């Protein structure tokens, strides 16, 4: 194995791979004309269906005050829309438009293909194991 010892250390490797993955992910989203926050909101709406803004912010792990700008941009782009709540006219429900649904579906498919390319040097079993280990580390540090 070549390289300086710290270049083989777990923190260094995680940081470098994280940087490579983040750069790739940001470019991937930019190619589709969306941001990370817009993607997160759209994924939640695709998985959960129409939601109130507060609940949508919770599920997308965003501050409720910050989601307004994200929703404004998605609405202006024709990817989402706000509708009056069926029983409470003071509330608004957010839903994906057909264009938003198409975009998130094609983006999700392309993201899966990109993930496969990024992890191509690992077998499916190794990929599963890596994900399990990273999830365990993440949970230990985030939920500690």
């Amino acid at each position: 194995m070549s390289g300086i010892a710290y270049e083989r250390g777990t923190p260094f490797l995680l940081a470098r791979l994280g940087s490579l993955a983040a750069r790739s992910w940001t470019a991937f989203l930019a190619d589709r004309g969306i941001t990370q926050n817009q993607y997160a909101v759209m994924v939640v709406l695709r998985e959960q269906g129409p939601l109130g803004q507060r609940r949508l912010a919770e599920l997308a792990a965003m501050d409720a005050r910050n989601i307004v700008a994200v929703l404004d941009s998605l609405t202006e782009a024709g990817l989402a829309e706000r509708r009056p709540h069926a029983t409470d006219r003071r509330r608004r429900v957010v839903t994906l438009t057909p264009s938003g649904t198409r975009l998130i579906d094609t983006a999700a498919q392309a993201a899966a293909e990109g993930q496969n390319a990024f992890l191509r040097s690992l077998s499916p079993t190794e990929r599963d194991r890596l994900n399990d280990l990273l999830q365990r580390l993440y949970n230990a540090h985030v939920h500690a």
Side-chain angles (χ1 to χ4, degrees):
M1 202 177 245
S2 65
I4 302 170
Y6 73 85
E7 290 178 332
R8 293 188 302 261
T10 302
F12 175 84
L13 291 171
L14 286 173
R16 291 298 300 144
L17 282 170
S19 178
L20 290 170
R23 198 172 326 136
S24 174
W25 182 243
T26 299
F28 170 83
L29 293 175
D31 287 347
R32 284 147 185 84
I34 56 176
T35 66
Q36 172 61 38
N37 285 338
Q38 290 170 324
Y39 182 83
V41 166
M42 293 174 69
V43 165
V44 169
L45 288 171
R46 184 67 172 122
E47 291 175 353
Q48 301 291 317
L51 293 166
Q53 286 184 193
R54 182 172 292 142
R55 182 67 178 143
L56 178 56
E58 289 173 11
L59 292 173
M62 295 179 65
D63 187 298
R65 294 170 293 193
N66 296 336
I67 199 165
V68 172
V70 174
L71 293 177
D72 286 347
S73 65
L74 288 172
T75 300
E76 289 170 17
L79 300 172
E81 62 186 9
R82 296 177 180 112
R83 297 179 180 163
H85 189 275
T87 59
D88 184 352
R89 294 291 180 198
R90 295 170 294 171
R91 292 182 55 213
R92 308 290 281 173
V93 174
V94 182
T95 187
L96 286 176
T97 63
S99 294
T101 300
R102 279 191 301 279
L103 175 62
I104 202 63
D105 287 348
T106 58
Q109 178 62 38
E113 292 167 6
Q115 177 177 298
N116 285 337
F118 190 80
L119 299 173
R120 69 183 170 273
S121 63
L122 301 177
S123 72
T125 300
E126 290 170 325
R127 292 176 191 192
D128 289 343
R129 183 71 179 138
L130 174 64
N131 196 58
D132 289 344
L133 291 169
L134 291 172
Q135 189 67 57
R136 225 166 82 202
L137 281 171
Y138 179 81
N139 290 341
H141 290 280
V142 173
H143 304 296

